[in-house]
Amino acid sequence: QKEVEQNSGPLSVPEGAIASLNCTYSDRGSQSFFWYRQYSGKSPELIMFIYSNGDKEDGRFTAQLNKASQYVSLLIRDSQPSDSATYLCAVNIAGGGNKLTFGTGTQLKVEL
Amino acid sequence: DAGVIQSPRHEVTEMGQEVTLRCKPISGHDYLFWYRQTMMRGLELLIYFNNNVPIDDSGMPEDRFSAKMPNASFSTLKIQPSEPRDSAVYFCASSLSGVLSYGYTFGSGTRLTVV
């Protein structure tokens, strides 16, 4: 079992819709969770982080964490074509120091 | 701040040659990470440093790979000898100690092609 798993996609949504991206992790002691966006040919950039169970909102983005079920999700409201990218979930594994373990990413396509 | 700076952006080399990738972290950041990204395996952590000291090199694939951080503003990742399976994008990232909430800042990456 991979430590961090994501559906590779592509996930296609129409412009203006809500995109829902999911991530599961295997280590119950995981403490912090991150979402990165990576455009083709570019480096990953941090969108959001979440530590506590529940929802965290930042503009059009909402991160959701459920530690009991070991999943974290990212909702993108009012999706725009500029949101088309690969979204990487990253987890700080308990006892892993400051290192992050990344999933392989979900490709999102927002269609006009 | 100029961000994390990596060089070269692209490197094409022949199998068996030595390759050196370079990274300058953000000033003041005391953690530095080297990742490798491929389509099949995604982002894999190779090694990371704290205050110039290697903390975890368990991700280094084999003895052909080595990394150094001689000072707070410079790190290298060396592959000797290089092999075609080393072809990937290599990212350097830096972060502040104890401030994991800010995540990492990645450099632009080095695309390595070994032919």
Side-chain angles (χ1 to χ4, degrees), chain A residues 34 36 38 49 51 99-100, chain B residues 35 37 56 100-101 104 107:
Chain A
F34 301 79
Y36 282 79
Q38 186 175 26
F49 60 89
Y51 296 153
K99 68 181 183 183
L100 296 181
Chain B
Y35 280 84
Q37 187 174 39
D56 183 349
L100 204 59
S101 55
Y104 300 164

Side-chain angles (χ1 to χ4, degrees), chain A residues 2 32 34 36 38 41-46 49 51 88 92 96-104, chain B residues 31 33 35 37 41-43 45 48 56 58 91 95-98 100-104 106-108:
Chain A
K2 293 182 179 178
S32 49
F34 301 79
Y36 282 79
Q38 186 175 26
K42 302 295 185 181
S43 58
E45 53 180 338
L46 181 66
F49 60 89
Y51 296 153
L88 302 168
N92 180 235
N98 264 31
K99 68 181 183 183
L100 296 181
T101 300
F102 285 81
T104 52
Chain B
Y31 277 84
F33 306 82
Y35 280 84
Q37 187 174 39
R41 301 175 67 89
L43 268 170
L45 178 65
Y48 77 95
D56 183 349
S58 59
F91 286 105
S95 74
L96 278 171
S97 174
L100 204 59
S101 55
Y102 294 119
Y104 300 164
F106 282 85
S108 299

Side-chain angles (χ1 to χ4, degrees), chain B residues 24-44:
Chain B
K24 175 179 169 58
I26 291 174
S27 178
H29 282 192
D30 55 353
Y31 277 84
L32 184 140
F33 306 82
W34 282 101
Y35 280 84
R36 176 172 68 177
Q37 187 174 39
T38 60
M39 289 292 293
M40 291 298 296
R41 301 175 67 89
L43 268 170
E44 302 175 281

Side-chain angles (χ1 to χ4, degrees), chain B residues 85-99:
Chain B
R85 60 191 167 124
D86 301 330
S87 297
V89 180
Y90 291 79
F91 286 105
C92 175
S94 68
S95 74
L96 278 171
S97 174
V99 197

Side-chain angles (χ1 to χ4, degrees), chain A residues 46-49 55-63 74-77:
Chain A
L46 181 66
I47 299 175
M48 291 190 68
F49 60 89
D55 295 359
K56 179 181 179 182
E57 187 175 317
D58 184 0
R60 296 187 297 113
F61 298 98
T62 299
L74 179 70
L75 302 179
I76 306 174
R77 290 182 299 281

